[in-house]
C-alpha cells in the first residue's frame, strides 16, 4: 500500500476520525467547522421514540447517498468513501413506526476535503537553500538592520507595536542564522542582544503589578498612527496577553546560553517568577491582565502549550529548580483536563478579539501539545495515540492538500492558493507560511516518534510548498497566500509578519538536517 492509499484508508475509517463528539461523552466541537477530511459526525437532536434515522447526502457531482442509523449523531462512515471532493449537502430525518421518513431533524452543508496524495510538485530548491535565502532577506531588510545600526525597533515597521512577539522571534532567529553563517555571527549576536536589551528596557518595573514582564503592546517608538495594528496596540496598551512574556523568556534563555551573560537569565527568571506567583488553581493563568492593576481584563484562560509550557521546561533545564517543573507539569495537566477533553482549541492572538467556545478554533496550541508528546513521550503508547488523534484534528481542520473550501469569513480568491498548505484559524482561514511550517514540523515530529513514513511524506509535501512560494528575486517568503500576486513582493509591510518568516526559516533548517542528504 502506497502512502496515498494509506491516507485514503485512514480518512474513511470510523477508527481514525478527527475525535468528533458523542463518543465517551465528548462534546461536539465542529459547529463552526466548514471542512472535513476525516469522517465527521454532527450533533442533531434525537427524537423521542424514534429508533432509526435516515441520512441523505448530495455531493458536488449531484450523486445521492444515504444510510440508516439508530443514532441522530452517527458518523458518516457508510457513505464517506463515496462522497466526491467538494460541497456536500446533508439532511437527517427521523422515521415513523414503518421506518419511513417523518421529520427533518437537521441539515448541514460542508466541504469534503481531499486527503493526502502522492503527486505534489517537488521542492523548488533544497530546504537549506530556501532557509538561507529567507534568512538573508531578513538580515538585509530595513526591519532587522535597524536593530544593528540603532539598537531600537524600526519605527516605520508597523508590526513592531507587538514587541514581545517580534523581539523574541528576532533574538532566536539571529542566534540560529549566526550558527548557519559564521561570517555574520558577530552582527547577528549584536542584533539579538540589542533586541533583548531593548525589550528588557521597556519591561514592567520592579514594584509594578506585572513586575518583570515585557509588554505585549508598545507604541512609543512609532512615527505614524494610521494603521490597524497601531490602533489595536493603542486600544490594548494597558494590558498584557500572558503567554507572550514566556516567548521572550525562552529567547532570553537561548541568548544567555550563547553569550553567558547572566542578565538574560535574570530577565527570564523574573518572568518565571510572575508565572510562579500568579498561577491559578487550575494550573493556568488569566489570558489578558491589566498592567495598571494586575487584575484580569477578561475571564479567558491561557492555553499554555504554545509558549508557557516550553518556557518553563527550558527554565527547569537551565536552573534545575524543581518549582519550574511543578509549574510545567501543572500547566500540562490544565491542557489535558480542559482543551484535550473538550477540543476547544481557542485561537489566542494579540491582534484578534477573544472568542467564545468553539467559535474560533486554531491549531497552534494543539500542534505544540502534539510535539511535546512526540518529543518527550515517544515510548508512551497512550500519549502517542492521543497525539495521533490530535494530528488528525489539525489535518482535518487546517490543512488543504488539494482544493480549498470555497467559502470563508474573509472572502478571498481561493483560486490563487498554493496547495498543499496550512490555514491559520477560523477567523483568518487562509494559508499562512508559519501555519504551514508549524503543521509540517508537527508531522515531522510525529514521524520521528512513530517511524510512520506517511507523517514524513506529509511534512515534506507541506514544506515543499514553502520553497515554491518563496520569491526568486530576493528570498522573501510571503506571510499570507490569500490573493493573486501574494508573492510579488509589493505587499505592504503590515501584511508581512517577519516573525512568521523567521519561524519558517527555523523549521526549514530542521527539515534541511533531516531531508537534505
Amino acid at each position: 500500500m502506497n502512502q496515498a492509499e494509506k491516507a485514503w484508508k485512514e480518512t474513511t475509517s470510523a477508527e481514525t476520525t478527527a475525535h468528533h463528539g458523542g463518543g465517551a461523552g465528548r462534546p461536539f466541537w465542529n459547529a463552526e467547522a466548514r471542512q472535513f477530511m476525516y469522517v465527521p459526525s454532527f450533533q442533531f437532536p434525537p427524537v423521542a421514540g424514534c429508533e432509526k434515522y435516515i441520512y441523505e447526502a448530495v455531493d458536488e457531482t449531484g450523486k445521492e447517498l444515504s444510510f440508516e442509523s439508530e443514532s441522530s449523531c452517527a458518523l458518516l462512515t457508510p457513505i464517506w468513501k463515496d462522497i466526491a471532493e467538494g460541497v456536500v449537502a446533508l439532511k437527517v430525518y427521523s422515521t415513523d413506526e414503518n421506518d419511513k421518513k417523518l421529520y427533518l431533524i437537521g441539515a448541514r452543508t460542508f466541504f469534503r476535503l481531499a486527503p493526502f496524495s502522492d503527486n505534489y510538485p517537488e521542492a523548488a530548491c533544497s530546504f537549506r537553500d530556501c532557509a538561507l535565502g529567507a534568512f538573508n532577506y531578513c538580515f538585509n531588510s530595513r526591519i532587522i538592520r535597524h536593530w544593528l545600526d540603532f539598537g531600537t525597533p524600526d519605527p516605520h515597521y508597523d508590526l513592531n507595536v507587538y514587541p514581545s512577539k517580534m523581539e523574541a522571534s528576532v533574538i532566536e532567529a539571529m542566534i540560529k542564522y549566526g550558527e548557519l553563517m559564521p561570517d555574520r555571527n558577530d552582527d547577528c549576536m549584536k542584533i539579538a542582544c540589542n533586541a533583548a536589551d531593548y525589550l528588557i528596557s521597556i519591561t514592567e518595573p520592579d514594584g509594578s503589578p506585572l513586575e518583570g514582564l515585557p509588554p505585549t503592546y508598545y507604541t512609543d517608538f512609532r512615527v505614524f498612527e494610521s494603521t490597524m495594528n497601531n490602533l489595536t496596540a493603542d486600544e490594548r496598551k494597558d494590558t498584557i496577553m500572558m503567554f507572550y512574556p514566556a516567548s521572550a523568556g525562552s529567547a532570553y534563555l537561548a541568548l544567555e546560553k550563547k553569550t553567558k551573560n547572566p542578565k538574560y537569565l535574570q530577565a527570564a527568571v523574573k518572568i518565571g517568577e510572575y508565572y510562579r506567583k500568579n498561577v491559578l488553581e487550575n494550573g493556568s493563568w488569566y489570558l489578558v491582565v491589566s498592567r495598571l492593576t494586575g487584575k484580569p481584563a477578561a475571564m479567558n484562560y491561557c492555553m499554555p502549550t504554545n509558549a508557557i509550557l516550553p518556557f518553563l521546561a527550558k527554565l527547569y533545564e537551565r536552573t534545575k529548580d524543581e518549582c519550574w517543573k511543578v509549574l510545567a507539569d501543572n500547566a500540562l495537566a490544565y491542557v489535558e483536563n480542559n482543551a484535550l477533553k473538550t477540543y476547544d482549541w481557542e485561537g489566542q492572538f494579540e491582534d484578534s478579539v477573544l472568542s467564545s467556545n468553539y467559535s474560533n478554533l486554531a491549531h497552534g496550541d494543539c500542534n505544540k501539545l502534539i510535539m511535546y508528546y512526540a518529543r518527550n513521550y515517544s515510548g508512551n503508547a497512550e500519549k502517542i495515540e492521543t497525539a495521533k488523534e490530535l494530528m488528525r484534528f489539525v489535518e482535518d481542520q487546517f490543512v488543504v492538500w488539494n482544493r480549498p473550501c470555497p467559502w470563508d469569513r474573509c472572502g478571498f480568491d481561493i483560486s490563487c492558493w498554493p496547495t498543499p498548505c496550512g490555514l491559520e484559524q477560523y477567523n483568518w482561514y487562509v494559508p499562512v507560511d508559519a501555519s504551514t511550517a508549524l503543521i509540517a514540523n508537527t508531522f515531522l515530529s510525529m514521524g520521528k516518534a512513530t517511524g510512520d513514513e506517511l507523517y514524513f511524506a506529509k511534512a515534506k509535501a507541506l514544506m515543499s510548498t514553502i520553497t515554491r512560494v518563496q520569491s526568486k528575486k530576493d528570498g522573501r517568503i510571503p506571510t499570507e497566500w490569500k490573493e493573486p500576486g501574494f508573492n510579488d513582493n509589493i505587499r505592504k509591510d503590515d501584511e508581512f509578519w517577519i516573525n512568521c518568516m523567521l519561524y519558517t526559516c527555523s523549521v526549514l533548517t530542521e527539515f534541511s538536517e533531516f531531508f537534505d542528504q
Side-chain angles (χ1 to χ4, degrees):
M1 181 187 299
N2 63 32
Q3 300 303 332
E5 290 173 339
K6 183 178 179 183
W8 172 259
K9 183 177 180 181
E10 287 187 356
T11 59
T12 56
S13 170
E15 302 302 316
T16 49
T17 72
H19 202 85
H20 291 280
R26 293 195 300 265
F28 281 83
W29 53 260
N30 62 20
E32 298 292 331
R34 294 165 174 76
Q35 66 178 40
F36 301 97
M37 188 182 306
Y38 291 82
V39 185
S41 62
F42 304 105
Q43 188 171 21
F44 296 126
V47 175
C50 181
E51 297 183 359
K52 186 179 295 183
Y53 298 87
I54 296 175
Y55 289 71
E56 294 182 348
V58 180
D59 70 16
E60 192 168 280
T61 68
K63 185 185 342 179
E64 299 178 359
L65 305 108
S66 65
F67 70 97
E68 297 178 350
S69 173
E70 296 178 355
S71 171
S72 63
C73 305
L75 284 163
L76 304 188
T77 312
I79 59 174
W80 194 245
K81 67 179 182 299
D82 297 316
I83 294 177
E85 175 189 10
V87 177
V88 182
L90 174 70
K91 294 181 178 180
V92 182
Y93 297 88
S94 64
T95 60
D96 60 19
E97 64 274 9
N98 297 315
D99 293 339
K100 301 298 183 183
K101 285 194 302 187
L102 186 60
Y103 299 117
L104 176 67
I105 66 163
R108 187 75 180 259
T109 301
F110 58 88
F111 192 81
R112 203 271 200 230
L113 284 168
F116 175 82
S117 69
D118 54 6
N119 59 351
Y120 301 110
E122 291 294 321
C125 60
S126 71
F127 294 126
R128 177 180 173 81
D129 286 347
C130 185
L132 288 176
F135 266 134
N136 288 339
Y137 173 86
C138 290
F139 182 78
N140 292 314
S141 71
R142 185 195 73 228
I143 302 168
I144 296 297
R145 301 299 295 186
H146 204 278
W147 287 111
L148 181 62
D149 297 336
F150 302 100
T152 57
D154 176 7
H156 296 279
Y157 182 50
D158 182 28
L159 294 166
N160 276 331
V161 296
Y162 306 131
S164 289
K165 185 171 192 172
M166 293 299 166
E167 270 85 294
S169 70
V170 168
I171 294 165
E172 299 212 58
M174 287 300 101
I175 293 172
K176 174 68 72 174
Y177 185 51
E179 293 171 350
L180 292 172
M181 299 289 286
D183 60 321
R184 291 183 169 178
N185 184 62
D186 288 347
D187 281 349
C188 287
M189 294 311 300
K190 184 177 179 181
I191 292 167
C193 290
N194 284 348
D197 293 347
Y198 177 82
L199 194 54
I200 291 171
S201 76
I202 60 173
T203 286
E204 294 297 302
D206 291 352
S208 63
L210 303 185
E211 176 182 333
L213 298 190
T216 304
Y217 311 97
Y218 191 76
T219 60
D220 287 1
F221 69 94
R222 66 188 175 181
V223 296
F224 57 92
E225 304 179 9
S226 60
T227 64
M228 179 184 68
N229 293 296
N230 275 272
L231 294 175
T232 300
D234 267 340
E235 292 170 356
R236 306 179 188 182
K237 64 183 179 181
D238 290 330
T239 65
I240 286 182
M241 191 168 273
M242 277 300 148
F243 58 84
Y244 283 113
S247 297
S250 289
Y252 293 154
L253 289 173
L255 192 56
E256 188 264 343
K257 183 177 182 180
K258 195 74 176 177
T259 64
K260 310 304 181 187
N261 191 325
K263 72 177 177 180
Y264 300 123
L265 176 60
Q266 292 166 6
V269 170
K270 266 199 167 184
I271 293 170
E273 283 298 325
Y274 175 87
Y275 290 122
R276 184 180 66 82
K277 294 175 182 177
N278 293 276
V279 65
L280 302 172
E281 287 187 13
N282 63 12
S284 184
W285 296 261
Y286 288 115
L287 176 58
V288 182
V289 176
S290 168
R291 291 176 51 247
L292 305 179
T293 66
K295 297 184 181 301
M299 299 311 294
N300 300 54
Y301 297 121
C302 270
M303 292 287 287
T305 47
N306 198 11
I308 298 176
L309 180 58
F311 166 59
L312 294 173
K314 292 171 186 174
L315 204 51
Y316 171 66
E317 181 182 355
R318 173 63 182 84
T319 67
K320 305 306 179 187
D321 190 328
E322 284 292 322
C323 75
W324 309 125
K325 185 179 187 304
V326 171
L327 273 184
D329 289 346
N330 289 340
L332 178 61
Y334 167 79
V335 178
E336 292 176 330
N337 291 329
N338 291 276
L340 188 55
K341 292 181 178 179
T342 65
Y343 267 46
D344 188 13
W345 297 101
E346 176 190 1
Q348 298 181 341
F349 299 89
E350 79 293 330
D351 61 339
S352 299
V353 297
L354 303 184
S355 59
S356 57
N357 291 350
Y358 305 111
S359 62
N360 183 34
L361 298 185
H363 60 79
D365 283 281
C366 188
N367 273 301
K368 290 301 179 72
L369 181 60
I370 297 168
M371 285 195 278
Y372 193 82
Y373 282 163
R375 294 171 179 177
N376 296 285
Y377 295 95
S378 59
N380 185 315
E382 183 179 355
K383 298 285 191 189
I384 293 301
E385 189 58 39
T386 298
K388 290 178 180 178
E389 290 183 356
L390 292 169
M391 194 77 254
R392 290 194 291 269
F393 164 76
V394 170
E395 184 182 5
D396 187 71
Q397 291 299 294
F398 300 101
V399 174
V400 178
W401 294 115
N402 186 27
R403 182 160 60 102
C405 176
W407 66 84
D408 63 73
R409 297 174 182 174
C410 306
F412 293 117
D413 179 6
I414 64 170
S415 65
C416 70
W417 289 11
T419 55
C421 63
L423 312 181
E424 187 183 67
Q425 56 176 308
Y426 281 5
N427 283 348
W428 198 242
Y429 219 35
V430 299
V432 171
D433 70 315
S435 286
T436 302
L438 175 56
I439 296 170
N441 205 18
T442 312
F443 276 127
L444 179 60
S445 295
M446 286 299 292
K448 291 177 178 179
T450 66
D452 189 336
E453 290 295 330
L454 182 54
Y455 287 129
F456 293 130
K458 289 177 176 179
K460 189 175 184 180
L462 282 168
M463 286 307 287
S464 293
T465 304
I466 299 281
T467 70
R468 296 194 300 275
V469 303
Q470 182 178 35
S471 169
K472 303 303 182 288
K473 291 186 286 188
D474 58 16
R476 176 172 172 170
I477 298 171
T479 303
E480 299 160 345
W481 313 338
K482 60 183 172 58
E483 296 174 288
F486 65 82
N487 61 351
D488 62 10
N489 267 357
I490 62 171
R491 297 294 163 192
K492 296 180 295 182
D493 275 348
D494 62 1
E495 293 181 356
F496 173 59
W497 292 70
I498 197 168
N499 63 300
C500 287
M501 193 168 86
L502 291 172
Y503 172 76
T504 299
C505 288
S506 176
V507 176
L508 282 164
T509 60
E510 289 190 44
F511 271 62
S512 172
E513 294 166 2
F514 187 83
F515 287 107
D516 291 345
Q517 301 295 334

